[in-house]
């Protein structure tokens, strides 16, 4: 082979290598998926237009009205098929009462593609719960210092028809389970939890529906009796752990639109 032909071969090989590298980087598009939070009562869609009227019946048979429903989700996480974990240090207050936070678009981008699992935390883990959030402060989402401080995971308020056939208020408020309220509260169990939505294909533009079945908070594994557990549940660690257990199947993956 002549020196001229050898030089030409080297140039061709170099160009091919450069083309291969550029193709690999350019084929990975970045996207910021949007999460759409919807709510239902055992399959029947619920919005704030359905609030303040007795049109829901719990698994225990109590007729209830919903007056307020808002909750925080955090740390949306994407796990790739090869086990890589992309954790987004974000949180979002979903306020159904005021139609606020129902659509949440990530502020950062992630690579488009197939993900083995998408998950988030219901509430705030202990590290996040120790931070100061001005918007949650303004929304009066705080937990009193005597109960450990930090923030609510959920505020769910309404009325129910009690065993005396009278209207009575309920406050189904989820926080970190706490004992010994006061200057030195103790925490018997963490009650934030991870929601696994499962595999999701994320394209350049993707909307991911997250469905909450509100009825499930009263259903299983703990059949909820509002005549027993209705108010003053924040300092009741037993009630908080029951909520934590019932919450495991409240959320599910809905429609993924692209």
């Amino acid at each position: 082979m002549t020196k001229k032909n050898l030089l030409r071969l080297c140039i061709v090989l170099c160009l091919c290598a450069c083309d291969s590298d550029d193709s690999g980087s350019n084929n990975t598009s970045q996207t910021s998926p949007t999460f759409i939070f919807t709510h239902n009562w055992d399959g029947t869609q619920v919005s704030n237009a359905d609030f303040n009227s007795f049109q829901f019946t719990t698994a225990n048979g109590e007729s209830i009205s919903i007056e307020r429903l808002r909750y925080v989700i955090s740390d949306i996480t994407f796990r790739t098929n090869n086990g890589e974990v992309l954790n987004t240090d974000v949180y979002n207050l979903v306020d159904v009462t005021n139609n606020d936070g129902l659509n949440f678009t990530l502020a950062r981008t992630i690579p488009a593609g197939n993900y083995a699992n998408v998950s988030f935390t219901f509430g705030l883990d202990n590290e996040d719960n120790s931070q100061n959030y001005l918007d949650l402060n303004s929304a009066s989402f705080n937990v009193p210092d005597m109960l450990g401080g930090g923030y609510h995971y959920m505020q769910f308020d309404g009325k129910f028809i009690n065993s005396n056939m009278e209207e009575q208020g309920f406050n189904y408020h989820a926080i970190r389970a706490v004992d010994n309220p006061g200057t030195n509260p103790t925490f018997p169990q963490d009650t934030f939890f991870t929601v696994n939505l499962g595999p999701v294909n994320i394209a350049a533009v993707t909307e991911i529906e997250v469905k909450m079945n509100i009825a499930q908070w009263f259903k299983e594994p703990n059949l909820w009796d509002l005549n027993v557990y209705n108010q003053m549940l924040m300092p009741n660690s037993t009630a908080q752990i029951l909520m934590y257990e019932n919450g495991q199947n409240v959320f599910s993956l809905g429609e993924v639109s692209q």
Side-chain angles (χ1 to χ4, degrees), residues 142-193:
N142 309 74
V143 171
D145 288 340
M146 66 177 296
L147 295 177
Y151 297 91
H152 286 78
Y153 302 159
M154 179 174 70
Q155 292 175 328
F156 177 14
D157 304 306
K159 291 186 173 65
F160 72 103
I161 304 299
N162 65 23
S163 56
N164 295 322
M165 301 306 295
E166 300 170 337
E167 290 188 16
Q168 182 176 340
F170 71 84
N171 305 113
Y172 195 110
H173 288 196
I175 66 170
R176 185 184 185 187
V178 59
D179 286 327
N180 305 314
T183 56
N184 294 297
T186 57
F187 307 99
Q189 177 180 321
D190 290 332
T191 43
F192 62 87
F193 56 84

Side-chain angles (χ1 to χ4, degrees), residues 201-230:
N201 176 44
I202 296 178
V205 178
T206 299
E207 292 184 345
I208 302 170
E209 180 187 13
V210 178
K211 301 192 296 184
M212 175 197 272
N213 182 3
I214 304 171
Q216 174 58 39
W217 288 111
F218 302 104
K219 186 180 294 187
E220 58 189 4
N222 306 300
L223 184 63
W224 198 273
D225 188 344
L226 279 168
N227 289 281
V228 177
Y229 293 114
N230 47 67

Side-chain angles (χ1 to χ4, degrees), residues 9-247:
L9 178 59
C10 290
I11 292 174
V12 169
L13 290 175
C14 288
L15 289 175
C16 288
C18 291
D19 287 343
S20 176
D21 290 344
D22 290 343
S23 175
S25 61
N26 290 337
N27 282 342
T28 304
S29 61
Q30 299 288 313
T31 182
S32 296
T34 296
F35 290 81
I36 310 294
F37 295 91
T38 65
H39 305 82
N40 68 86
W41 188 278
D42 283 338
T44 299
Q45 290 299 113
V46 175
S47 71
N48 63 353
D50 303 300
F51 285 13
N52 301 304
S53 64
F54 286 89
Q55 55 178 298
F56 307 105
T57 303
T58 70
N60 198 49
E62 286 102 8
S63 176
I64 75 166
S65 68
I66 301 172
E67 296 180 351
R68 178 171 68 168
L69 176 59
R70 57 183 187 169
Y71 56 93
V72 66
I73 65 99
S74 61
D75 290 339
I76 299 173
T77 300
F78 303 83
R79 181 166 59 84
T80 67
N81 290 314
N82 63 12
E84 181 184 0
V85 175
L86 305 177
N87 189 11
T88 63
D89 187 19
V90 299
Y91 68 94
N92 177 48
L93 178 62
V94 181
D95 187 343
V96 185
T97 310
N98 295 306
N99 274 334
D100 191 23
L102 301 182
N103 296 359
F104 178 67
T105 301
L106 287 184
R108 59 164 287 183
T109 62
I110 62 169
N114 292 311
Y115 286 86
N117 186 48
V118 177
S119 64
F120 62 85
T121 297
F122 172 77
L124 299 162
D125 66 26
N126 297 334
E127 180 181 358
D128 290 339
N129 206 21
S130 66
Q131 306 302 312
N132 184 41
Y133 303 102
L134 296 180
D135 56 337
L136 297 183
N137 296 340
S138 298
S140 299
F141 215 58
N142 309 74
V143 171
D145 288 340
M146 66 177 296
L147 295 177
Y151 297 91
H152 286 78
Y153 302 159
M154 179 174 70
Q155 292 175 328
F156 177 14
D157 304 306
K159 291 186 173 65
F160 72 103
I161 304 299
N162 65 23
S163 56
N164 295 322
M165 301 306 295
E166 300 170 337
E167 290 188 16
Q168 182 176 340
F170 71 84
N171 305 113
Y172 195 110
H173 288 196
I175 66 170
R176 185 184 185 187
V178 59
D179 286 327
N180 305 314
T183 56
N184 294 297
T186 57
F187 307 99
Q189 177 180 321
D190 290 332
T191 43
F192 62 87
F193 56 84
T194 299
V195 175
N196 292 303
L197 297 176
V200 176
N201 176 44
I202 296 178
V205 178
T206 299
E207 292 184 345
I208 302 170
E209 180 187 13
V210 178
K211 301 192 296 184
M212 175 197 272
N213 182 3
I214 304 171
Q216 174 58 39
W217 288 111
F218 302 104
K219 186 180 294 187
E220 58 189 4
N222 306 300
L223 184 63
W224 198 273
D225 188 344
L226 279 168
N227 289 281
V228 177
Y229 293 114
N230 47 67
Q231 294 180 327
M232 297 298 294
L233 304 184
M234 290 171 60
N236 187 332
S237 63
T238 298
Q240 291 301 319
I241 292 170
L242 293 176
M243 293 180 193
Y244 161 84
E245 293 172 346
N246 280 15

Side-chain angles (χ1 to χ4, degrees), residues 238-257:
T238 298
Q240 291 301 319
I241 292 170
L242 293 176
M243 293 180 193
Y244 161 84
E245 293 172 346
N246 280 15
Q248 302 300 311
N249 296 311
V250 163
F251 296 95
S252 62
L253 178 66
E255 183 179 355
V256 179
S257 304

